[in-house]
């Protein structure tokens, strides 16, 4: 065990999920000692609400960690060992545009998948690179940036290409699936279960091994039964068994369904986005009581609109140090597992625990035929020496074709985010395997850029041309 005390920073500490990270730190207070936890956010109200709440959690747990709150990035990351990022530029207002405008053009309206996900990347990547470059300047030389912000894979590609900082980008999906498989198969010994995760962020597949035997098909059947009983909402995120058997891997999360059955799932997403409030409210009543019964939601509210209204109530409760605030966040936002993924990975790096994770990092040849310099989501061994991707057998051809196309989209989108190139942005959308029309791509891109211009300073020249009815030159 490392006897030193670390300095940890959270950038985007106004996240309603900050207490999730606090819980993980409290669980490890005896083995991963944190001298100072610096909380930084540009929104002073949200920072004060969550900061005071986690301070109370630490006091009740007898934590000696000093909590510092600041709105200054350099102050937050100076001499840090680890920096966790949970930022969301534009917040729910921009997210609502990402989720609704693409639907007008027959394209996916979603915060991590093109074209809305690309705009999310355009807002997030410049801010993330600013954090990385500030870390290079004032953090400890071997400091790690642990990113939990979306779109995780695209952010990882940007960090990989445009910074020198050590990093890992994480999604909660691999953590959820590993925990589920250990619950299903690991009663005797959780170490008997190994979950191989491979692909790109939100385009990932997995295989399940128990005592060295490939049990993937059986595991998928058991997963469907287990999730229906334990996490009913999770059942919606998987394909049908016949498709899983065809693939030979478990397609993870709802995003894979777009790649295998676009039309059906596009319609389902539109219906889901328009009818999210009732299901969210039912979950709140079950776990938190009537805390939201007085809220009024617009007719056919999108998920982003629901989240915005719920978040307002959540922070009202945080401000009163009401424990229902955290429960409200946990049961409405879908982010359970992020704190566990981030802090457990930090613990593996800090305490040399040799644990297995599936972060977004440079592939280093772990996918046969894939550029080893590009970022992928891959099963990796993590210890004090770093993050070490594992190599696996050659993937099926149809999986590789989707990975290749999606990675070309990500590379072009990163170029556009950094340079403000309209041509690269449009080329990225045209390259995306979920976009089937140049004209639809162009229409959605133009409207999104103009609608979200306040968060897209890199695209100011292109947006000015669009507002004049002209074709951008860059």
């Amino acid at each position: 065990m490392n006897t030193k005390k670390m300095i940890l920073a959270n950038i985007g500490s106004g996240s309603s999920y900050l207490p999730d990270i606090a819980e993980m730190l409290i669980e490890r207070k005896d083995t991963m000692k944190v001298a100072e936890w610096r909380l930084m956010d540009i929104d002073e109200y949200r920072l004060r609400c969550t900061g005071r709440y986690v301070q109370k959690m630490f006091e009740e747990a007898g934590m000696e960690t000093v909590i510092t709150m600041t709105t200054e990035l350099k102050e937050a990351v100076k001499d840090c060992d680890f920096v966790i990022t949970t930022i969301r530029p534009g917040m729910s207002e921009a997210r609502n545009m990402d989720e609704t405008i693409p639907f007008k053009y027959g394209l996916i309206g979603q915060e991590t998948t093109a074209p809305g996900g690309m705009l999310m990347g355009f807002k997030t990547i410049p801010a993330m690179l600013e954090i990385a470059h500030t870390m290079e300047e004032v953090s400890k030389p071997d400091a790690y940036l642990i990113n939990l912000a979306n779109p995780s894979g695209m952010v990882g590609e940007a960090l990989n290409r445009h910074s020198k900082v050590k990093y890992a980008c994480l999604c909660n999906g691999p953590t959820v699936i590993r925990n589920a498989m250990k619950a299903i198969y690991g009663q005797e010994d959780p170490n008997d279960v190994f979950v191989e995760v491979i692909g790109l962020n939100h385009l990932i597949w997995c295989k399940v091994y128990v005592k060295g035997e490939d049990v993937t098909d059986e595991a998928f059947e058991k997963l469907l039964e287990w999730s229906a009983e334990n996490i009913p909402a999770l059942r919606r995120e998987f394909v049908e068994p016949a498709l899983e058997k065809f693939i030979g891997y478990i397609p993870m999360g709802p995003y894979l369904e777009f790649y295998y059955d676009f039309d059906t799932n596009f319609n389902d997403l539109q219906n889901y986005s328009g009818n999210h409030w009732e299901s969210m409210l039912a979950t709140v009543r079950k776990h938190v009581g009537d805390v939201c019964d007085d809220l009024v939601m617009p007719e056919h509210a999108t998920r982003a609109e629901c989240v915005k209204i719920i978040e307002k109530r959540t922070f009202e409760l945080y401000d009163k140090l009401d424990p229902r605030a955290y429960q409200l966040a946990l049961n409405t936002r879908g982010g359970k597992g992020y704190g566990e993924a981030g802090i457990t990975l930090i613990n593996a790096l800090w305490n040399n625990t040799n644990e297995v994770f599936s972060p977004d990092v440079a592939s280093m040849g772990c996918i046969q035929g894939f550029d080893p310099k590009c970022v992928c989501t891959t099963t990796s061994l993590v210890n004090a020496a770093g993050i070490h991707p594992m190599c696996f057998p050659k993937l099926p051809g149809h999986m590789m074709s989707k990975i290749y196309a999606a990675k070309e989209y990500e590379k072009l989108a990163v170029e556009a985010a950094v340079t403000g190139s309209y041509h690269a942005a449009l080329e990225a959308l045209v390259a995306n395997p979920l976009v089937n029309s140049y004209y639809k791509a162009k229409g959605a891109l133009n409207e999104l850029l103009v609608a979200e211009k306040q968060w897209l300073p890199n695209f100011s020249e292109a947006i000015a041309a669009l507002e004049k009815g002209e074709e951008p030159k860059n």
Side-chain angles (χ1 to χ4, degrees), residues 435-450:
V435 176
N436 58 6
S437 165
Y438 161 83
Y439 301 100
K440 291 179 179 179
K442 187 173 184 178
L445 175 63
N446 290 357
E447 186 170 347
L448 283 163
L449 287 175
V450 172

Side-chain angles (χ1 to χ4, degrees), residues 119-384:
L119 267 289
M120 179 72 168
F122 289 171
K123 297 186 287 283
T124 304
I125 286 170
M128 197 65 65
L129 290 178
E130 180 186 1
I131 294 167
H133 295 154
T134 305
M135 287 179 63
E136 291 168 13
E137 181 185 348
V138 302
S139 296
K140 290 179 181 174
D142 58 351
Y144 268 88
L145 191 164
I146 308 298
N147 173 56
L148 306 180
N150 277 324
S152 180
M154 196 185 297
V155 167
E157 196 66 55
L159 291 170
N160 196 49
R161 290 169 180 268
H162 297 282
S163 82
K164 297 178 181 178
V165 74
K166 294 181 179 180
Y167 71 92
C169 296
L170 295 169
C171 179
N172 65 338
T175 299
V176 170
I177 198 79
R178 280 198 175 89
N179 288 344
M181 287 304 158
K182 287 178 180 179
I184 293 168
Y185 285 105
Q187 288 86 356
E188 294 182 10
D189 184 352
N191 292 321
D192 288 342
V193 183
F194 181 80
V195 181
E196 166 196 331
V197 177
I198 197 72
L200 306 182
N201 178 242
H202 289 180
L203 180 58
I204 53 177
W205 299 262
C206 73
K207 277 186 174 291
V208 182
Y209 298 85
V210 176
K211 296 182 179 180
E213 179 184 356
D214 184 345
V215 297
T216 301
D217 289 349
E218 174 193 271
F220 186 63
E221 297 277 5
K222 289 181 177 292
L223 177 63
L224 296 182
E225 296 172 6
W226 180 89
S227 60
E229 182 178 341
N230 294 277
I231 314 177
L234 190 64
R235 172 61 185 89
R236 295 198 306 265
E237 299 191 0
F238 295 107
V239 301
E240 294 304 312
L243 178 54
E244 181 276 324
K245 288 181 181 177
F246 161 76
I247 299 168
Y249 285 72
I250 298 174
M252 290 177 55
Y255 312 97
L256 271 292
E257 294 184 339
F258 294 118
Y259 291 88
Y260 287 103
D261 185 10
F262 182 91
D263 291 341
T264 300
N265 292 288
F266 176 75
N267 292 332
D268 287 348
L269 179 64
Q270 284 183 302
N271 293 332
Y272 174 78
S273 295
N275 298 281
H276 186 69
W277 174 243
E278 286 304 321
S279 61
M280 183 181 278
L281 190 59
T283 302
V284 170
R285 286 175 180 146
K286 179 179 178 181
H287 295 282
V288 196
D290 62 359
V291 69
C292 290
D293 280 4
D294 62 318
L295 298 180
V296 178
M297 193 64 55
E299 187 176 2
H300 301 302
T302 64
R303 175 172 170 78
E305 289 173 317
C306 294
V307 165
K308 184 177 181 179
I309 292 173
I310 288 283
E311 270 204 331
K312 184 175 184 296
R313 176 56 49 86
T314 302
F315 278 88
E316 290 170 355
L317 295 171
Y318 273 138
D319 201 20
K320 299 174 183 175
L321 302 179
D322 189 324
R324 293 179 298 173
Y326 181 35
Q327 290 304 312
L328 190 55
L330 281 180
N331 288 287
T332 57
R333 298 297 309 281
K336 184 175 177 57
Y338 275 102
E340 179 182 355
I343 297 302
T344 308
L345 186 137
I346 288 173
N347 182 67
L349 291 164
W350 186 253
N351 281 321
N352 197 30
T353 58
N354 284 309
E355 292 184 64
V356 173
F357 297 87
S358 298
D360 296 308
V361 291
S363 71
M364 299 171 64
C366 68
I367 301 178
Q368 295 184 39
F370 184 74
D371 185 347
K373 296 180 182 178
C374 285
V375 168
C376 69
T377 303
T378 182
T379 306
S380 303
L381 180 68
V382 180
N383 54 33

Side-chain angles (χ1 to χ4, degrees), residues 386-399:
I387 300 171
H388 316 284
M390 300 178 184
C391 288
F392 294 98
K394 188 175 182 179
L395 299 176
H398 85 274
M399 288 168 57

Side-chain angles (χ1 to χ4, degrees), residues 453-470:
K453 64 180 180 179
Q454 69 186 94
W455 303 292
L456 301 169
N458 285 4
F459 288 90
S460 57
E461 185 179 328
I463 293 169
L466 291 171
E467 289 183 316
K468 294 176 184 177
E470 299 172 359

